[in-house]
Amino acid sequence: MTTEPGTGSAPTHDTRGPFRPLSARAPLLSSLKVRNYRLFFLGQVVSNNGTWMQRIAQDWLVLSLTGSSTAVGITTALQFLPLLLFGLYGGVLVDRLPKRAILVATQVAMALTALALAVLTLTDRVHVWHVYAAAFAVGLATVLDNPARQSFLSELVGPELLRNAVGLNSANFQSARLIGPAVAGLLITGIGTGWAFLLNGVSFAAPLACMTLMRRRELHTVERAPHRRGQLREGLQYVVGRPDLIWPIVLVGFFGTFALNFPVHLSAFADDVFHAGAGAYSLFNTLVAAGSLAGALLAARHESARRRLPFLAALAFGALQTVAAAAPTLWSFALLMIPMGLFAMVVNVTTNATMQTSTAPTFRGRVTALYMMVLLGGAPLGAPVVGLITDTYGARTGLGAAGVVAAVTATATGLLLLRAGDHRLAFGWSRRVPRIRVVPRKADKGADLPA
């Protein structure tokens, strides 16, 4: 077990049993007491809002130029394609290179892309292929930006506050999801789409300035992987050989591919089921975002962040999807969006934190890259399948099927992780209430691990 200089004997990764708690409760804003993380967080507050503004403006611009929803789908696919093609190679580079330097480079690249798109749009010279190229360029930058951003948190706050920092980062992103699209809508209808791109490009000045102000001596030193051949294969072998890593990654792969297709499900329910139009679609997305924000904050201060938590949250999410599929009224459906957003974010945050706290520092970039690739890269692959089911059998069947996939995957991967850790489920009663416990296979039935 390795240690990080400057953090005493605190481990950089957790090698305990698959269902042991990973950390104790921390105050909700404890990571913000660290100056470097505080700067990082403030920079992201500005940049995340700009990112959401560009997402909305980009889709609207493509629709305005082509009148085609297919073209909008192509734009999304181009933005995720580099992650699918090069995501693992990005993780190799992140493990080798200084993460702060990578982040500076990716922020500059994305800023220049946004500014170029702004100039083309404001001068009425933009064509759809320009947007395609910009989306692909942002995707290329994301190949390095995603794993670098996630694994850089351990250098900012150290292992003890890592889970809290991951939760706060997710809350930051979700709060921007509530604000950014609203601002983009005002800009698009008020002064034009190009101004949303311009403001996003300018917004990157905030994280760049904040990273410049960080004190390098206060960063937690993390060992970097040496430059040698075969590191991609080595990273995959590392994950495959760790049941506590591979089964959560399998979970988020199925979860992200089939269960998290909110645009397909929510638009179908708003239009085909409740016949309520764009207003209902906006309402559904806002409630999902509110639930996601609550889930991120909950995960940031969870008292005993157990490895079983993402599996239980995914199971609850799947159950809620099946219930929502049968919701009789618009408002009953809408209210279910809040807990669905909450449980979806708990799956995301707890799995992300588990990946990082359980992984040796020299593999953290590759493991995080694989995690992000299956989580974010699966949606463009699953969306056509989910859309086909929805178009063929109806919105309720499509959503119900997605819920079944989430519930079955959560149950199967959770049981496989139990088996790999030589544990089993024990059923019993406590004060006339049925109780399910996790116990070692060879232990007495009364022996119990922390619930």
Side-chain angles (χ1 to χ4, degrees):
M1 183 178 293
T2 58
T3 60
E4 293 181 355
T7 60
S9 59
T12 59
H13 63 286
D14 191 295
T15 57
R16 293 174 285 178
F19 286 97
R20 295 288 186 180
L22 295 179
S23 63
R25 179 185 292 270
L28 179 59
L29 303 180
S30 55
S31 294
L32 291 176
K33 296 178 182 178
V34 180
R35 181 182 182 276
N36 282 343
Y37 178 77
R38 190 163 60 247
L39 287 168
F40 182 82
F41 185 89
L42 291 173
Q44 295 308 302
V45 168
V46 178
S47 182
N48 283 338
N49 278 286
T51 297
W52 277 108
M53 288 166 54
Q54 173 140 338
R55 286 189 181 186
I56 299 300
Q58 176 179 276
D59 291 346
W60 186 259
L61 177 60
V62 171
L63 194 61
S64 300
L65 291 171
T66 66
S68 169
S69 296
T70 301
V72 177
I74 291 173
T75 308
T76 302
L78 285 171
Q79 191 156 329
F80 283 102
L81 183 61
L83 189 64
L84 290 172
L85 295 177
F86 312 117
L88 294 177
Y89 295 98
V92 171
L93 292 175
V94 167
D95 279 335
R96 290 177 177 178
L97 303 173
K99 296 174 183 59
R100 185 165 66 157
I102 291 176
L103 288 172
V104 169
T106 57
Q107 300 298 289
V108 169
M110 287 190 281
L112 293 176
T113 301
L115 293 173
L117 204 52
V119 170
L120 289 169
T121 306
L122 292 172
T123 57
D124 292 324
R125 297 178 180 178
V126 67
H127 298 284
V128 69
W129 72 266
H130 291 138
V131 188
Y132 287 165
F136 189 76
V138 170
L140 286 174
T142 303
V143 167
L144 290 174
D145 189 80
N146 271 344
R149 182 182 309 282
Q150 297 295 330
S151 53
F152 187 50
L153 295 178
S154 63
E155 298 186 26
L156 291 171
V157 300
E160 296 302 321
L161 293 175
L162 181 57
R163 184 174 297 274
N164 178 257
V166 170
L168 289 180
N169 258 28
S170 296
N172 189 331
F173 188 76
Q174 293 303 321
S175 62
R177 183 180 176 183
L178 291 170
I179 300 170
V183 176
L186 292 174
L187 289 172
I188 292 170
T189 57
I191 56 178
T193 306
W195 292 98
F197 297 130
L198 181 62
L199 284 181
N200 180 45
V202 173
S203 74
F204 285 102
L208 288 170
C210 288
M211 279 188 281
T212 302
L213 293 172
M214 288 179 186
R215 295 170 181 165
R216 182 174 299 180
R217 66 180 182 277
E218 295 179 8
L219 293 174
H220 294 253
T221 303
V222 174
E223 181 183 1
R224 292 204 295 269
H227 291 246
R228 64 170 182 267
R229 291 190 174 187
Q231 287 181 307
L232 177 57
R233 182 176 64 253
E234 183 184 41
L236 292 173
Q237 290 173 342
Y238 178 82
V239 172
V240 172
R242 293 279 304 275
D244 58 323
L245 297 180
I246 188 62
W247 292 122
I249 287 177
V250 171
L251 170 68
V252 298
F254 278 91
F255 195 71
T257 301
F258 298 106
L260 291 183
N261 282 288
F262 282 117
V264 175
H265 296 307
L266 301 188
S267 59
F269 266 80
D271 190 37
D272 300 332
V273 177
F274 299 120
H275 308 290
Y281 179 58
S282 176
L283 172 65
F284 296 157
N285 278 285
T286 299
L287 293 175
V288 169
S292 299
L293 177 59
L297 294 174
L298 177 66
R301 70 187 306 265
H302 198 275
E303 181 176 0
S304 53
R306 320 223 174 231
R307 296 184 196 272
R308 76 186 75 173
L309 185 56
F311 301 93
L312 295 175
L315 180 60
F317 179 87
L320 283 168
Q321 279 194 317
T322 57
V323 172
T329 66
L330 185 150
W331 287 107
S332 61
F333 181 84
L335 289 176
L336 287 169
M337 295 303 101
I338 298 175
M340 281 174 59
L342 186 150
F343 284 114
M345 186 51 56
V346 169
V347 174
N348 186 357
V349 173
T350 54
T351 307
N352 187 351
T354 298
M355 292 296 103
Q356 297 196 51
T357 55
S358 302
T359 303
T362 52
F363 287 92
R364 195 168 285 152
R366 281 165 283 180
V367 173
T368 303
L370 178 61
Y371 164 76
M372 298 301 293
M373 185 178 75
V374 299
L375 177 65
L376 300 178
L381 299 177
V385 177
V386 174
L388 179 62
I389 294 173
T390 300
D391 287 340
T392 305
Y393 300 103
R396 293 189 184 277
T397 300
L399 183 60
V404 170
V405 170
V408 170
T409 303
T411 302
T413 52
L415 290 175
L416 287 167
L417 182 57
L418 266 176
R419 185 177 182 83
D422 203 25
H423 291 79
R424 63 178 177 82
L425 293 178
F427 300 88
W429 294 83
S430 176
R431 297 179 181 178
R432 299 183 180 180
V433 176
R435 185 183 179 192
I436 303 176
R437 299 174 298 167
V438 175
V439 300
R441 284 182 176 274
K442 298 179 181 179
D444 294 334
K445 291 186 178 180
D448 190 14
L449 290 178

